[in-house]
Amino acid sequence: MADETLSDEDLDQIYRAMVDSFIDRANELADSNSMENVGMALLYAASRYNAHVVSQHAENAEAYDREVPRAREFFRDQYERMLDENLEDYKSIYSKYANFMRRQ
């Protein structure tokens, strides 16, 4: 099904389900790896996949080179916005959840 045929609500549900599936997998990996390494792996995977997305939208190498600065700015701004939002979210629930996985 093409994204153009879906409502904003449907797209949001799909988006949140994808996010949850990535977090579920990250939590599984954190059972046998450090959370820091899992987080870095997620960042690397996102950067690698987004580089692929940018390359798929470019008609040729020259167009790709022209798009790279704009793509870097876009993804950097998106990540900063998302990180700020999530840091604030965790700040509001810190006392309830932050210590449950803390190492002794």
Side-chain angles (χ1 to χ4, degrees):
M1 185 182 302
D3 286 351
E4 301 85 40
T5 64
L6 299 173
S7 70
D8 287 345
E9 184 177 319
D10 290 338
L11 289 171
D12 188 57
Q13 287 178 346
I14 292 167
Y15 174 81
R16 292 195 179 279
M18 285 190 287
V19 169
D20 288 345
S21 71
F22 292 133
I23 292 171
D24 288 344
R25 181 64 178 132
N27 286 331
E28 290 171 10
L29 290 168
D31 287 341
S32 57
N33 300 277
S34 73
M35 292 187 322
E36 294 81 5
N37 284 347
V38 173
M40 292 306 294
L42 281 168
L43 281 174
Y44 186 79
S47 69
R48 188 169 179 166
Y49 192 82
N50 286 322
H52 169 70
V53 170
V54 172
S55 75
Q56 294 303 297
H57 286 280
E59 293 181 18
N60 54 45
E62 293 79 22
Y64 177 80
D65 285 341
R66 285 191 306 272
E67 288 300 314
V68 166
R70 194 170 123 229
R72 290 176 65 140
E73 180 179 358
F74 173 80
F75 290 119
R76 188 173 40 248
D77 290 349
Q78 289 297 305
Y79 181 76
E80 186 172 8
R81 182 186 61 77
M82 292 174 191
L83 181 60
D84 288 347
E85 180 181 306
N86 283 290
L87 287 170
E88 282 300 311
D89 191 36
Y90 269 83
K91 182 174 150 182
S92 70
I93 60 171
Y94 185 83
S95 63
K96 184 174 180 181
Y97 294 107
N99 295 320
F100 74 97
M101 290 187 65
R102 199 169 271 185
R103 295 183 183 112
Q104 302 296 349

